[in-house]
Amino acid sequence: MDEASTSASGGATRRAFPAARSGVYYRFTQQNLPAWKPAMTPGCLIATFLIIGIIFVPFGLFCLQTSNHVAEIIRRYDVGCVPNAYRGNKQAYIKDSSISKNCTLEVKVLDHMRAPIYVYYELENFYQNHRRYVKSRSDKQLRFGAKYTAESCSPIQWDDNGFPIVPCGLIAWSLFNDTYDFTYGSKEIKVNRKNISWKSDREHKFGKNVFPSNFQNGSFIGGGKLYPMVPLSEQEDLIVWMRTSALPKFRKLYGVIEEDLQVDETMTIFIRNNYNTYTFGGKKSIVLSTTTWLGGKNDFLGYSYIVTGSMSIFMSILFALIHVKYPRPQGDPNCLSWNRKNSSN
């Protein structure tokens, strides 16, 4: 009985092996599954590079042409808005609240600008990507309120009386606070300041029941102030500013002009030059820009496609010349390195 059962069980075991070895998992682990590997013949390689070049170069030219259709006005104003008496001591000018910070720029529209026209402020030499600056915030506090004030907000965490600052941190404390007004001839141009921030930020990162408190009330004053009766989710200047930039030169959206600007007309920009960039040698500019289906003005994408396509065409021509001059049959074992050594011996 024992031998019979053993033999029976052994037979069952022996019969199970072929079934297991025929399974997909077994063939996968043993690398027996059917596979396909492209044979990169010279003709295939030359054709691939040539097709890439033929596609990329025209598309790059098209991107450049599209970018050139973007009408853009850029005016730097941080130096021109300083009175002549304070040109040698700009920090004294910006820190003295008794000195008027009003400034006027006359801008001529060189190209017809179709609405919507996006108004940006551009800062240069401002390192928002500094590690201590980026960490100086509390996302939980922005979403749920003062009870989540965190140590990460240091050094802008508590006011002079020991109460929590909302919003806390260096990023909020350094909020940009220059303002712009526009006139076109005798007509005032309205700037839409709504929906300039990301919808996801307004709905999920900034609380609808969180209000500013003890913000910019102490002796250590930074940038702009916030409306204490308006929730953070509606203070879009702050929401835009809190998205830190990766580069020291960046633009942030200020508003949108929803009417066309005609060519050769003169526009007047009234600026309140409040933001202190003179302490760290920063620059300030105002930018007006239209957009296309590719976004704002950016030649980098077009040049990237042109350079990549040109290099592909060059490589295809080079490979074709090499293949014509030094032809070699496909699958010739004599071309293997070890066979070449044997033949030379």
Side-chain angles (χ1 to χ4, degrees), residues 61-270:
L61 294 172
F62 178 67
C63 291
L64 276 181
Q65 184 182 16
T66 303
S67 178
N68 291 332
H69 286 164
V70 175
E72 192 174 75
I73 298 174
I74 305 175
R75 291 292 183 273
R76 181 182 173 185
Y77 64 88
D78 59 288
V79 176
C81 285
V82 178
N84 293 329
Y86 291 93
R87 290 292 173 90
N89 191 359
K90 300 182 181 67
Q91 295 188 38
Y93 153 76
I94 199 68
K95 293 179 180 179
D96 192 343
S97 58
S98 63
I99 303 175
S100 174
K101 303 299 188 296
N102 294 333
C103 176
T104 303
L105 288 180
E106 299 289 336
V107 177
K108 186 175 182 180
V109 181
L110 300 179
D111 300 296
H112 179 66
M113 303 183 74
R114 297 183 180 274
I117 302 168
Y118 296 91
V119 182
Y120 302 90
Y121 55 88
E122 181 178 275
L123 296 180
E124 189 171 348
N125 201 34
F126 191 117
Y127 289 83
Q128 277 197 316
N129 61 345
H130 191 282
R131 181 173 178 270
R132 188 178 182 187
Y133 184 87
V134 171
K135 291 183 64 178
S136 185
R137 62 186 293 165
S138 173
D139 291 327
K140 281 191 174 182
Q141 189 207 61
L142 295 173
R143 185 75 175 92
F144 301 108
K147 61 181 179 180
Y148 288 98
T149 302
E151 293 293 334
S152 61
C153 290
S154 178
I156 311 299
Q157 184 178 1
W158 315 99
D159 67 359
D160 296 339
N161 298 319
F163 294 104
I165 298 174
V166 181
C168 65
L170 286 171
I171 305 177
W173 174 80
S174 60
L175 174 64
F176 186 83
N177 62 337
D178 284 5
T179 59
Y180 312 107
D181 291 313
F182 303 84
T183 59
Y184 198 52
S186 58
K187 177 185 176 183
E188 180 182 357
I189 302 175
K190 294 183 179 180
V191 181
N192 185 5
R193 306 294 310 282
K194 295 291 185 181
N195 298 323
I196 61 174
S197 60
W198 290 19
K199 183 179 179 181
S200 59
D201 287 354
R202 296 194 301 268
E203 295 181 352
H204 303 295
K205 291 188 176 182
F206 292 81
K208 296 181 179 179
N209 297 316
V210 180
F211 296 85
S213 62
N214 308 312
F215 186 73
Q216 306 284 26
N217 291 338
S219 57
F220 196 42
I221 303 298
K225 296 187 177 182
L226 299 173
Y227 301 102
M229 303 304 294
V230 178
L232 296 185
S233 61
E234 297 180 15
Q235 308 223 27
E236 297 198 50
D237 284 336
L238 173 68
I239 298 175
V240 171
W241 181 256
M242 293 295 287
R243 277 200 165 269
T244 55
S245 174
L247 300 175
K249 182 179 180 180
F250 58 87
R251 296 177 182 179
K252 292 185 182 290
L253 186 60
Y254 179 83
V256 182
I257 296 175
E258 298 177 333
E259 57 183 279
D260 293 357
L261 299 180
Q262 304 301 323
V263 66
D264 292 332
E265 293 290 339
T266 300
M267 179 174 55
T268 304
I269 307 176
F270 299 96

